[in-house]
Amino acid sequence: MTASLAIDGHSLTLDDVARVARGEVTTVTLAPTGRTALERARRVIEDAIAAGERVYGVTTGFGRLAEVMIPPDARILLQRNVIMSHASGFGEPISREAVRALMLLRANTLAHGHSGCTVRCVELLLDFLNRGI
């Protein structure tokens, strides 16, 4: 069965999540409204950075380090370190279905357009999902 689903950050249902998790939906794409929301939010972030403003977790540290400005040449390393710090765990691996559901939910949440991430970030998550990675 070949089925597709377009996510926009607002209309995803529990049934959609279950169908993607089970592999009944083979192609998930970003809806035009989700793309527009992501692009708009990204412009806000880029404009703030260009203006030298503080952007939590982008130009500053996190948590107690939110007041610490991160130099421009260290910002990519900051983002990499955040990913690495969250990329470990313990216990038994979770099921393929749970991973698929979580990837879809993360992509859909980002498609709301509140994070400032790039369209490419969401597309990459969806590419992984669509290719079974």
Side-chain angles (χ1 to χ4, degrees), residues 94-114:
I94 61 175
S95 69
R96 176 180 172 80
E97 290 79 15
V99 171
R100 290 182 59 79
L102 290 168
M103 289 174 69
L104 175 65
L105 290 168
R106 173 54 58 206
N108 190 66
T109 298
L110 292 171
H112 275 281
H114 298 295

Side-chain angles (χ1 to χ4, degrees), residues 9-71:
H10 300 283
S11 59
L12 187 69
T13 67
L14 288 176
D15 183 57
D16 293 333
V17 174
R19 291 182 322 121
V20 170
R22 291 189 302 256
E24 295 167 11
V25 173
T26 56
T27 304
V28 183
T29 60
L30 180 61
T33 54
R35 177 178 302 278
T36 299
L38 284 164
E39 290 169 345
R40 185 178 323 119
R42 184 62 186 192
R43 277 192 304 275
V44 169
I45 296 297
E46 289 174 353
D47 290 348
I49 292 168
E53 296 177 21
R54 290 178 180 267
V55 179
Y56 179 80
V58 178
T59 65
T60 73
F62 296 88
R64 292 184 185 185
L65 299 176
E67 296 300 317
V68 176
M69 289 295 289
I70 306 299

